[in-house]
Amino acid sequence: MKRANNLILTCMLSFLGLTTINAQDWADLKRFEEANAEVQVVSNNEDRVVFMGNSITIGWLNKRPEFFEGKPYINRGISGQTTPQMLIRFRQDVINLNPKVVTILAGTNDIAGNTGPSTLEMIMDNIKGMAELAHANGIKVILSSTLPAYDYPWKPGLEPSSKIIELNKMIKEYADANGHIYLDYFSAMVDERNGLPKKYAEDEVHPTVEGYKVMEPLVESAIKAALNK
C-alpha cells in the first residue's frame, strides 16, 4: 500500500512538473503584449521600422535612447533570444505593428547554444522564415550581419568567430538572392581576431555607446535604401 501511494505521489509530481514546463512562455510572447496594444495606428506618411533582435537590439534602446526618440522606430529586442524564439513572436511583435521595414539582427545566441544546439542551416531557416513572413505582408526586409564575437563570456570556449563569418556569408547570399537589404555591421566593427574590440563592446559581445554609434549610420542608410526599393 505504501509503495502504491509513493507511486501515485511520484506520478502526480511528474505531472505537475510537466504542466509547469508546458506552461512556460518560451518565446516570451508576454514581454511586449501591453506595449504592442498601445502602438498607434500607422499614419499614411509614417515610415515605421521595427527592430527585431536580442540583447544587442534592446541594449541599443537602453544605452542610446536618443537614437530612437522622435523617430517611427519600434524596438522589439529581447535579451538572450535565439532565432526560433524570434520566429514564434514575429507576427505579434512585427507584422501586427504594420511597419514598412523590419531590420533583423540575430544569430549569435544560436551559435552560443542559448536554447540548445543549432546548426548554421537551422539558424538560416529561422531567418528565412522571418523574412518570408515579412515579405508576404508587404514589409521590406533588412537582414543584418551577426556582430563579431571572439568568445562568449557566459559560455567560453566555443570559438564562434569562424561560425559567425560563415553565417554572415549565408545571410548575405540569401538577402542578395531575394531582393532584401544586407546590413553589414561586421566589416565596420571587426578586429584582427575576427572579434569585437573592447572599444565597441566591453565584454566583446554587447556594444558600448561607441559601438552603437558605429551601427547607427549604417542602419539609417539601410532603412533609406529599403524604403526606396
Side-chain angles (χ1 to χ4, degrees), residues 21 30 43 46 55-56 105 137 144 149 171 190 196-197 205 227-228:
I21 291 171
K30 287 285 186 181
S43 61
E46 182 180 337
S55 56
I56 294 170
L105 174 54
N137 286 274
S144 307
I171 294 172
V190 68
L196 195 58
V205 175
L227 289 171
N228 289 332

Side-chain angles (χ1 to χ4, degrees), residues 170-187:
M170 296 167 72
I171 294 172
K172 185 178 189 305
E173 287 174 1
Y174 175 77
D176 290 346
N178 289 273
H180 304 315
I181 301 295
Y182 176 68
L183 172 50
D184 186 8
Y185 293 128
F186 184 94
S187 297

Side-chain angles (χ1 to χ4, degrees), residues 78-105:
I78 296 181
S79 181
Q81 283 215 328
T82 56
T83 56
Q85 292 173 305
M86 294 181 202
L87 180 57
I88 288 173
R89 66 184 180 89
F90 196 81
R91 181 170 295 278
Q92 70 170 42
D93 287 347
V94 178
I95 294 171
N96 291 351
L97 304 182
N98 298 306
K100 287 185 179 178
V101 177
V102 61
T103 175
I104 300 169
L105 174 54

Side-chain angles (χ1 to χ4, degrees), residues 1-166:
M1 184 67 178
K2 185 175 181 180
R3 288 184 61 188
N5 288 338
N6 287 340
L7 180 61
I8 292 170
L9 180 60
T10 300
C11 290
M12 289 178 65
L13 289 173
S14 298
F15 175 76
L16 288 172
L18 182 61
T19 301
T20 301
I21 291 171
N22 288 339
Q24 289 178 349
D25 182 7
W26 184 72
D28 213 348
L29 295 171
K30 287 285 186 181
R31 176 68 62 92
F32 294 112
E33 186 177 47
E34 291 185 9
N36 288 343
E38 294 173 359
V39 172
Q40 296 180 353
V41 176
V42 181
S43 61
N44 291 333
N45 61 347
E46 182 180 337
D47 293 331
R48 178 174 291 176
V49 180
V50 174
F51 287 64
M52 168 58 84
N54 49 41
S55 56
I56 294 170
T57 297
I58 195 63
W60 202 338
L61 178 62
N62 294 334
K63 291 182 180 179
R64 289 279 294 163
E66 58 268 36
F67 174 68
F68 293 86
E69 288 173 1
K71 299 172 185 173
Y73 295 169
I74 298 175
N75 191 302
R76 289 296 179 262
I78 296 181
S79 181
Q81 283 215 328
T82 56
T83 56
Q85 292 173 305
M86 294 181 202
L87 180 57
I88 288 173
R89 66 184 180 89
F90 196 81
R91 181 170 295 278
Q92 70 170 42
D93 287 347
V94 178
I95 294 171
N96 291 351
L97 304 182
N98 298 306
K100 287 185 179 178
V101 177
V102 61
T103 175
I104 300 169
L105 174 54
T108 202
N109 287 331
D110 300 67
I111 292 173
N114 280 18
T115 52
S118 184
T119 65
L120 298 184
E121 289 74 20
M122 290 164 64
I123 299 170
M124 276 308 304
D125 283 345
N126 293 323
I127 291 173
K128 290 175 183 178
M130 287 187 274
E132 288 166 2
L133 281 170
H135 179 71
N137 286 274
I139 301 168
K140 303 294 180 61
V141 178
I142 298 171
L143 295 178
S144 307
S145 67
T146 302
L147 268 59
Y150 182 75
D151 204 4
Y152 297 124
W154 67 95
K155 197 172 286 187
L158 293 180
E159 300 181 349
S161 58
S162 61
K163 295 177 183 177
I164 290 172
I165 290 171
E166 184 60 31

